[in-house]
Amino acid sequence: MEQQAILILEQYEQLKVISDPMRTKMLMHLIEQPHTGQQLAQKLDVSRAKILYHLRELEKYQLIQLVEEEIRGGNVLKFYQAVARGFIPADHLLNLVETKQATRQSYVEVLDRAKTRVLTAPERSFAPRSSDVEDWESLSFQQELRLSPEQFLTFTKRYRELLQDIEQDPSSEADKKLYYVMATAFEIDAPLVQADEER
């Protein structure tokens, strides 16, 4: 099965299904690769019966699909995968409470997956190359910016374009390594870091 890049959610029921935190967690795993109910139950430390219930709900609203069946020791293993790598509500669903809940929950899950990637990455990923951080093959920072909404949208557009340009670089595949890049950005009410003049 070839996953779509983005699936636009047209039905309220689809949105309601993915606004559940457990289903959001499951979708994050199913976006990455196919899983059985048993595999998800072990990863999420939840009963298999509960996982199977949620899988049925996700499948019912065409958010996941069965991609493989395998017979092992007389048991039929069913592997499911998300139909897309991202899910976005259609315009007529944007102002619903469930949209905000689902979006916030997906951000939390992205951050949780990033934590897992940090904890499971090889030691060499965090070995400083010099005292100059510009030479490091890793990057971790956070910054609060005071921007207009237009400036913020310009930033996010340029960031996405930069990622696309870098990925399409025709240099030799033999020279390339795999890097994990994660970013979140959103409006906040108050700064975490207080400027000197605010103290």
Side-chain angles (χ1 to χ4, degrees):
M1 176 197 91
E2 187 172 338
Q3 285 179 308
Q4 301 174 50
I6 297 291
L7 176 68
I8 304 296
L9 305 177
E10 297 286 350
Q11 302 170 32
Y12 169 73
E13 291 78 12
Q14 289 177 308
L15 181 60
K16 195 165 165 115
V17 164
I18 67 165
S19 65
D20 178 272
M22 176 56 66
R23 292 181 194 137
T24 306
K25 286 180 191 302
M26 291 169 61
L27 269 177
M28 291 300 288
H29 289 284
L30 296 173
I31 284 169
E32 293 172 0
Q33 63 187 49
H35 286 77
T36 65
Q38 182 63 38
Q39 288 171 330
L40 288 170
Q42 289 173 341
K43 283 186 175 181
L44 300 173
D45 196 24
V46 176
S47 75
R48 189 167 173 266
K50 190 171 188 176
I51 291 292
L52 292 176
Y53 167 75
H54 289 305
L55 282 173
R56 281 193 294 274
E57 288 296 296
L58 291 166
E59 187 178 29
K60 177 179 172 183
Y61 293 103
Q62 295 93 42
L63 302 170
I64 66 170
Q65 69 182 39
L66 181 65
V67 293
E68 182 184 350
E69 286 186 326
E70 185 179 306
I71 298 175
R72 243 189 250 168
N75 295 321
V76 178
L77 302 179
K78 295 183 176 185
F79 290 84
Y80 293 90
Q81 188 165 27
V83 299
R85 291 186 298 280
F87 299 88
I88 298 176
D91 289 345
H92 66 279
L93 299 174
L94 291 179
N95 292 321
L96 299 174
V97 170
E98 289 87 353
T99 299
K100 297 173 185 93
Q101 290 171 338
T103 303
R104 184 184 297 265
Q105 189 61 39
S106 72
Y107 276 55
V108 169
E109 290 307 318
V110 166
L111 292 169
D112 194 44
R113 298 302 290 146
K115 179 180 174 182
T116 300
R117 297 307 300 260
V118 169
L119 293 172
T120 59
E123 290 294 320
R124 68 179 178 276
S125 299
F126 306 103
R129 309 288 192 262
S130 75
S131 58
D132 182 359
V133 296
E134 298 290 328
D135 293 335
W136 293 13
E137 281 190 41
S138 61
L139 173 68
S140 177
F141 74 94
Q142 57 181 337
Q143 187 167 345
E144 296 172 347
L145 304 170
R146 193 166 294 279
L147 305 169
S148 70
E150 293 78 19
Q151 288 173 308
F152 179 78
L153 291 176
T154 298
F155 162 74
T156 59
K157 183 179 179 199
R158 287 175 60 188
Y159 179 80
R160 288 184 181 104
E161 288 171 351
L162 175 63
L163 289 179
Q164 249 183 346
D165 290 347
I166 289 173
E167 200 169 42
Q168 294 170 358
D169 180 358
S171 60
S172 168
E173 286 295 320
D175 298 337
K176 293 183 179 179
K177 299 181 196 175
L178 187 60
Y179 292 89
Y180 176 74
V181 177
M182 187 280 300
T184 57
F186 43 86
E187 183 182 350
I188 55 175
D189 287 330
L192 178 64
V193 179
Q194 298 259 324
D196 289 338
E197 62 268 16
E198 294 174 354
R199 291 188 191 127

